[in-house]
Structures are given as structure tokens and as C-alpha cells.
Amino acid sequence: MAQGASDLIEGFLEMMSAERGAAANTIAAYRADLLDYLMFLAAGGISALDAGRRDTSAYLEELHLRGLSAATSARKLSTIRQFHRHLCVDGLRLDDPSRIIQSPKQQRSLPLVLTHQEVERLFASAEKELAEAKGKQKKRAAMRLYVMLEMLYATGMRVSEMISLPRTAAMRDAQYLTIKGKGGRERIVPLNKRARAALAVY
């Protein structure tokens, strides 16, 4: 890679460090991304100062052919965009070839769920711990864990919602719970008989 390209990268990294306070590992990631991008351009006889939208798009296609994930390609594109904006601000370019390029679409991963057998083993373990607990404090802790498992399983609430429930939630024989979720939004969820019975004992 030509010395001029290295100077462009270092100028960008100095700006990111001095003006935006980028951490050392962030700077290292930027450097690696830009070295890869500019080496791709250089292989085609193109510099960062005259690269066009097709060149940047071709680089993203190259990343896809390498088998890189959409998340990694999107991160690299973000680095390239910041780099080209820096070149424009410094007056080294009049346009940003990456401006209208769409970021690679990332597939949303499906949530991991327990199998029925795994749920059964989880409850069996909690029940065994409760049965074998010695002393008032340990029995109370084991019962608390068992109740929480029953309520989580019955309602599907988040753990953060569970631990923020008020004490009054466990002091009445209610068939429903009012849960405050993200953004302060409230919803009503039913409690099955097992969860209500566990709460009553607790």
C-alpha cells in the first residue's frame, strides 16, 4: 500500500483519538478495517481519494464472498463512512462514495429456549434443594428460588421484572399480576395454580 494511503489512515486515527477520545482497542479496529479496505482498492489501482460508490460496493461484496457476517460487514462499512466523511471535512474529497450504500442486513437471532425436559430438570433440582435445605435461612432462600422459578415459568416475565415486583405481589391470592415492563408500560399476566400455591407457602 502506498505511503499516501497510510498517511490518510493515520490522519483519520489521530482525529478519532484526539477529538472523539476513541479507546486504543477501537483505534486498532479502525486501523485494521481501513488497511483492509485501502488494500482492496489498491489492488484495483484505486486510491481512497478517487474511489467511487461502485468501488466501495465491490469491497462489501468481497467481504460477503469471504464469508464475513452481516454484523462484521456493517461495522466495517461504518468505519469506511467515518473515514470518507473525514476526508471530505479535510477538503481531500468533495463527496462520500459510501454515503448512499445500504448497510448489510443483519438477521435477528431467535431466542434460546429450554426444552420441556430441561424445564423439568430445573424444577426437580429446585425441589431437591428445598427438601434438603438445613436451617431456617437456607430453607427460606431455597423456597424463594423455587417460587421465582414457578412465577417465571407461569408468566413469561423477564428476570428484571420479577426482581422488581413489590412485596405486596406475594401477599394476596391473586390470579393475575400487574407487571411493569420496559418504558414503564404495565401489562397483566395470569398466575397458574402451582405458582399461586408456591406464593402462598412462601
Side-chain angles (χ1 to χ4, degrees), residues 68-88:
L68 270 67
S69 68
T72 299
S73 295
R75 191 207 73 224
K76 288 179 177 291
L77 178 58
S78 175
T79 300
I80 291 168
R81 281 179 172 152
Q82 294 181 77
F83 175 65
H84 279 298
R85 281 198 293 268
H86 167 71
L87 296 180
C88 290

Side-chain angles (χ1 to χ4, degrees), residues 123 127 145-155 162 191-192 194-196 198-199:
F123 275 110
E127 290 168 355
L145 174 62
Y146 178 75
V147 170
M148 291 176 74
L149 285 175
E150 285 286 5
M151 291 183 67
L152 287 171
Y153 186 68
T155 65
M162 160 68 71
L191 279 177
N192 59 23
R194 282 186 55 159
R196 295 204 309 274
L199 264 178

